[in-house]
Structure formats: C-alpha cells, structure tokens
C-alpha cells in the first residue's frame, strides 16, 4: 500500500508540470494586456513600460516561463498583478469558502441520493421508483445557472427567508449548497439505484435470503456495501469539481471561493493568480482521486494495491 501511495504521489510531479506549462502558454494567448487593465488605456507609454518591466512582462515568453518555474520550485506562486499580494495568501483565504460549500453540498447530495436510490431499488416499478427517477431526470436536466436564480427568487425575494448572496452566516450557505447538491444528488440517485438493482441479483444475495437473513440486513449489510463502488467513483469526480470548480454557482451567489477568484483572474488577466488557481484545482483533483482509490479497498477487501 505504501509503495502504491508513493508512486501515485510521484505521478503528481509530471501531471502538475504538464498542467502548469499548458496553462502558462494558454493564458498568454488570451487577448488583452494586464498593464492596460491596471493603469488604463489613457496612461502614458513611459509609465506603462516601466510597470511592464516591474512585472517582468517585457521579457520574452520563454524567459517568463523559466522564471515562473524557478519561483514554483522555490514554493513561490508569485504576486498578484492587481493586489500586489502573494498568490498563496489569496488562495489560502479563498479555499476555506470553497471547502465549506463543497462539503455541505456533498452532505446534501449523499443524504438525498442514498435514501432515494435505495428506496427506488427496493420499490422497483412502483410510483416511488418512478418519482425517484423523475427527480433524477429533472436534477440532471436543470442547470445550476437556472436553478440558482430560481431558488433566490422563491426563498430570498418572495419568502424573504434566506439571504440572496454572500457568505455572512450559516443561512447564506443553504441556497448555494442546494444548487450544487441537487445536481449531484440526481446523478448519484440514478447510479445508486442501478448499482443496487444489479447487486441484488447476485448469488450471494439470494443465498443470504435463502438462509433467512432479514431483508433489511441483506440490503444494508450485504448488497449496498458492494453496490457503492461505482457510486464512490462518481462522488470522487463530483467532489473534485465542486471543491474547486463551482464557478457558476459561486458567481450567482457571490460566494468568495476559488471558482469566483478564477473568473476574476481571467477578467483581469492576472496571470499569477490564474496559474495558482489552476494548480490548486489540479492538485485537488489528483488528491481526491487518490483518496477515492484508497477508499475502494475499505469498501471491498478483495481490492489490493501494489506498486
């Protein structure tokens, strides 16, 4: 296990090198000059040139690329072109908000999907099953940029129960978490139902029933545990995307997370912040996928990892 874990962690190095290089060259292809955005197009040319030299933007692209990796190897993500603050500090301030939103959304999604998925599977072809499938279909079909404003109109403007946007208290967390969690729950409900239906047809389930094991124990102890393997895969992928890439939801609710910071960095052509956000997203995805793989062995003891 330790050899497998070490190998996966070493694979992070070429992955992050490739992602960093790709992002570096792609963001420099985006039209727009950050100096014009910071100083304004009416600024004097001499001031623009001096500012460009201070930010090292006057150097050839290859030289900027080497400088970026030199700083990166020293553990320095650079300084924001706009705020003149360390990128690491900005990410450190934003990441807890994204983590809070992701964990709450995941909790809502798991609560809804596991209960609906299991109930739909054991009540197959009944109105309860069709209701769960309808919820799943609607949840997958409705995009977050439509569901979010709809929730704001109903709960914030019409009922005046919840704040419209921002991150002021626990109440402000409800609407963005519901927006993210509903879409995730719809996908997980369908996956849980189909996986559990397939598992219930296995021989060991029929054997347990033939031995007189109570039906509740057959489902929860024998079938559901094995049915969760594909569900865990989806959870890992969804959690990674929600944790750092909930861009639309964070923009709708003015949530101060990494997603909204990424959009702001693109609008400002703030290269160091943009590179820092992408690196953080890449590292998070890799670590979440690694934890997902390790969790498989806990669900199914037959799974063994080797180097």
């Amino acid at each position: 296990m330790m050899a497998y874990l070490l190998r996966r962690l070493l694979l992070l190095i070429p992955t992050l090198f490739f992602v960093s290089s790709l992002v570096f060259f792609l963001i420099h292809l985006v039209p727009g000059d950050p100096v014009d955005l910071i100083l304004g197009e009416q600024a004097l040319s001499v001031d623009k040139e001096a500012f460009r030299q201070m930010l090292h933007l006057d150097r050839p692209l290859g030289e900027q690329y080497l400088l970026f990796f030199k700083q990166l190897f020293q553990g320095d993500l650079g300084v924001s072109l706009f705020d003149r603050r360390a990128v690491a500090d900005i990410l450190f301030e934003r990441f807890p908000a994204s983590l809070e939103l992701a964990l709450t959304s995941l909790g809502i999604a798991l609560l809804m999907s596991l209960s609906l998925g299991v109930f739909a599977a054991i009540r197959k072809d009944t109105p309860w099953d069709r209701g769960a499938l309808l919820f799943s279909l609607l949840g997958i079909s409705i995009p977050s940029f439509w569901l979010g404003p709809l929730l704001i109109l109903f709960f914030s403007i019409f009922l005046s129960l919840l704040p419209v946007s921002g991150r002021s208290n626990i109440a402000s967390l409800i609407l963005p978490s519901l927006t993210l969690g509903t879409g995730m729950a719809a996908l997980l409900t369908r996956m849980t139902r189909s996986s559990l239906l397939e598992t219930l047809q296995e021989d060991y389930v029929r054997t347990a029933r033939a031995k007189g094991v109570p039906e509740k124990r057959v489902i929860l102890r024998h079938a559901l545990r094995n049915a969760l393997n594909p569900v865990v895969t989806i959870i890992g992928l969804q959690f990674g995307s929600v944790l750092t890439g909930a861009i639309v939801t964070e923009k709708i609710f003015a949530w101060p997370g990494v997603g909204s910071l990424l959009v702001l960095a693109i609008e400002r052509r703030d290269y160091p912040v943009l590179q820092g956000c992408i690196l953080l997203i890449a590292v998070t995805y890799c670590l979440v996928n690694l934890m997902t793989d390790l969790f498989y062995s806990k669900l199914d003891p037959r799974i063994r990892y080797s180097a």
Side-chain angles (χ1 to χ4, degrees), residues 139-217:
I140 293 173
S141 305
I142 296 176
S144 57
F145 63 80
W146 189 86
L147 180 60
L150 185 67
L151 293 175
I152 290 175
L153 282 174
F154 187 73
F155 289 103
S156 302
I157 297 177
F158 182 68
L159 297 178
S160 300
L161 291 176
L162 299 169
V164 175
S165 61
R167 185 186 177 222
S168 54
N169 48 41
I170 294 179
S172 62
L173 184 60
I174 296 175
L175 292 186
S177 300
L178 276 176
T179 304
L180 277 176
T182 302
M184 202 189 315
L187 183 62
L188 293 176
T189 297
R190 185 173 287 270
M191 181 62 70
T192 302
R193 176 187 177 274
S194 60
S195 181
L196 185 57
L197 281 176
E198 185 178 342
T199 307
L200 288 174
Q201 305 302 317
E202 297 288 340
D203 291 339
Y204 66 89
V205 174
R206 284 197 288 267
T207 303
R209 283 172 170 164
K211 289 181 177 179
V213 178
E215 185 66 14
K216 184 177 179 181
R217 187 175 179 185

Side-chain angles (χ1 to χ4, degrees), residues 241-304:
S241 62
V242 169
L243 184 56
T244 52
I247 296 172
V248 175
T249 303
E250 289 191 2
K251 285 295 289 183
I252 292 173
F253 293 96
W255 191 259
V258 176
S260 57
L261 177 65
L262 180 64
V263 175
L264 186 63
I266 294 173
E267 292 172 350
R268 289 176 164 182
R269 308 293 188 277
D270 198 341
Y271 301 147
V273 174
L274 182 56
Q275 289 162 348
C277 288
I278 299 295
L279 269 178
L280 178 63
I281 290 172
V283 170
T284 304
Y285 261 102
C286 292
L287 292 180
V288 169
N289 282 331
L290 175 59
M291 287 189 288
T292 303
D293 290 343
L294 295 178
F295 191 63
Y296 284 149
S297 61
K298 298 295 181 185
L299 279 177
D300 189 348
R302 295 171 298 178
I303 297 177
R304 290 285 185 271

Side-chain angles (χ1 to χ4, degrees), residues 53-130:
Q53 288 179 4
M54 186 184 76
L55 300 177
H56 307 302
L57 295 175
D58 60 320
R59 299 184 185 183
L61 192 59
E63 193 173 335
Q64 293 183 47
Y65 178 69
L66 293 176
L67 180 61
F68 165 64
F69 270 99
K70 181 183 176 183
Q71 291 179 330
L72 194 61
F73 282 129
Q74 294 172 347
D76 183 8
L77 292 175
V79 176
S80 167
L81 300 183
F82 271 76
D83 301 335
R84 306 305 299 159
R85 296 177 56 208
V87 174
D89 292 342
I90 299 174
L91 292 176
F92 186 75
E93 290 175 2
R94 294 283 191 138
F95 191 70
S98 292
L99 182 62
E100 181 182 80
L101 179 60
L103 289 175
T104 310
S105 304
L106 181 64
I108 292 173
L110 288 177
L111 185 65
M112 296 170 70
S113 62
L114 289 181
S115 54
L116 281 176
V118 171
F119 201 66
I122 61 179
R123 295 284 188 272
K124 186 174 180 291
D125 295 331
T126 65
W128 298 102
D129 182 26
R130 296 187 190 96

